[in-house]
Amino acid sequence: WLPCLNVPFLFDDYNVIVNFKPIHSFSAWWQHLPAIRPLLKLSYVLNWQISQQAFIFHFVNLAIHVLNTGLGYLIIRELWPKYHFLAAWIALVWCLHPVHTEAVSYISGRSMALSSTCLLLAIYITIKLPHKHYTAYVVASLLLCALLIKETSWIFPLLLAMILWLRGENSLHIKKRLLPSFIVIILACFMLIYFSYYQKLLTFSLQSRSFNQQLLAQSIAYPYFFSVILSLQPNIDPDLLLPTKWHFQHILTISILLMMALFAMWRVLTYRCWYAGAVLWFLFCLIPSNSIIPRLDIANDRHLYLALWSIASVWVMGVYQLLPRTHLAIFSLSIIVLAWFTLVRNMDYQSDVALWSRTSQQSPHKSRVWNNLGVACQQQANFECAEYAFLKAVRLDPNNLKAANNLYFLPRLSET
């Protein structure tokens, strides 16, 4: 992960940090309130006050990731005391997977990692201090912080309730311990209705796709999620096209997902099965970004940040139980492979041109990718590269007005 410390500000970082004045001082941040994700912006303000160099922002991102790895390690030791010696392997598999580069190496992806810190800390406090009367209020406070970092954190109480159930607690006790958290969720819903900018975002989102189209989109999103986990080839802008109508493979994908969810829920409720809980954890973590409410992008790598804990746990536990004689060798090889792929992926983040050049190889038919590459090339005064990229973007999508405008106003070599 160390190469990510040398990464400069990239693309969206200029919109949300470098050129965004409300995070350049505490007074500007305060005057900008109320606003979306105030605690996330406050973390940027703190960084900006320390140093305006990208290094300090990346250092904090990496520190958050390391903290989350440690919290996950401690949680697994508490949840599975019989298999506590596997906690380090699970944490390392999770920590070193290259799919996390979007949430760690990209400063603008901090919201996912930082909100996850609140959840992991809430889980650890809940299971470490089960009998303290103030635990429920601390957990509710952490949930509130997570919501002020990223709105999709509303799913956290459900994840916490499932863990408590799997640990053997009864439903009445769970309701009592999570009541303050659910009150926070209800209040957050009222805030969502009250503030106009949240209303605009929600309206825009719901109008972007119909329910049928959104369901169809998930038949594309989930196979992508599984493929990027297995291939170790993350993509910051995957080329996932929304089908115009249902086909057999789409129906089959949605059917399998529904059957997995129902079967896992039955196993969790009836037998308190941890493997089934891992399946639900994965699906629950993706509900806020991949469910009824549409998003502009069908899928993004950063949404796997929390979900990957279940994959890492199942992988390590499965190998240990099925291959007891060779599990250490397999774990060691896995760590080496993951570390190598993460190191290689971090090389793509060394510049905008490197990042979007790599993305253009992964998503060669996506107009937006080529437009972004053109902008990156133009910023480095490589106008020949920029012209080629903008032309490619316009040819792929004649309705891409951004690319057309960028091409029109691009300084020609003869002019420079």
Side-chain angles (χ1 to χ4, degrees), residues 213-287:
Q213 289 176 322
Q214 176 64 4
L215 189 61
L216 185 56
Q218 302 320 304
S219 68
I220 304 299
Y222 281 88
Y224 169 77
F225 285 135
F226 287 114
S227 68
V228 76
I229 291 172
L230 295 174
S231 68
L232 308 180
Q233 296 290 332
N235 185 346
I236 199 171
D237 198 355
D239 188 7
L240 303 176
L241 297 177
L242 181 64
T244 55
K245 59 181 180 180
W246 288 87
H247 295 285
F248 174 75
Q249 65 268 28
H250 305 135
I251 298 173
L252 180 62
T253 300
I254 295 298
S255 299
I256 292 174
L257 287 172
L258 289 174
M259 286 189 292
M260 282 175 54
L262 292 173
F263 180 74
M265 195 171 297
W266 170 69
R267 292 284 298 178
V268 166
L269 294 176
T270 307
Y271 299 102
R272 302 182 194 257
C273 173
W274 280 101
Y275 280 109
V279 174
L280 286 186
W281 175 277
F282 183 85
L283 297 176
F284 284 168
C285 286
L286 293 175
I287 282 178

Side-chain angles (χ1 to χ4, degrees), residues 162-223:
M162 183 182 69
I163 288 178
L164 292 175
W165 175 262
L166 289 171
R167 293 196 78 208
E169 298 192 20
N170 60 62
S171 56
L172 185 62
H173 190 207
I174 294 173
K175 291 177 183 177
K176 182 179 179 180
R177 296 183 69 176
L178 295 182
L179 179 60
S181 296
F182 285 112
I183 292 175
V184 168
I185 295 295
I186 294 171
L187 293 175
C189 291
F190 282 112
M191 297 292 286
L192 189 69
I193 297 172
Y194 179 76
F195 289 111
S196 59
Y197 43 81
Y198 279 119
Q199 294 176 16
K200 292 177 181 177
L201 285 174
L202 188 59
T203 302
F204 175 79
S205 177
L206 293 175
Q207 290 177 348
S208 61
R209 294 191 200 106
S210 66
F211 175 76
N212 180 65
Q213 289 176 322
Q214 176 64 4
L215 189 61
L216 185 56
Q218 302 320 304
S219 68
I220 304 299
Y222 281 88

Side-chain angles (χ1 to χ4, degrees), residues 23-27 42-52 56-57:
I23 69 100
H24 292 173
S25 68
F26 290 105
S27 59
L42 181 59
S43 75
Y44 291 145
V45 174
L46 292 168
N47 281 166
W48 191 266
Q49 297 305 306
I50 297 171
S51 173
Q52 298 177 14
I56 190 64
F57 287 85

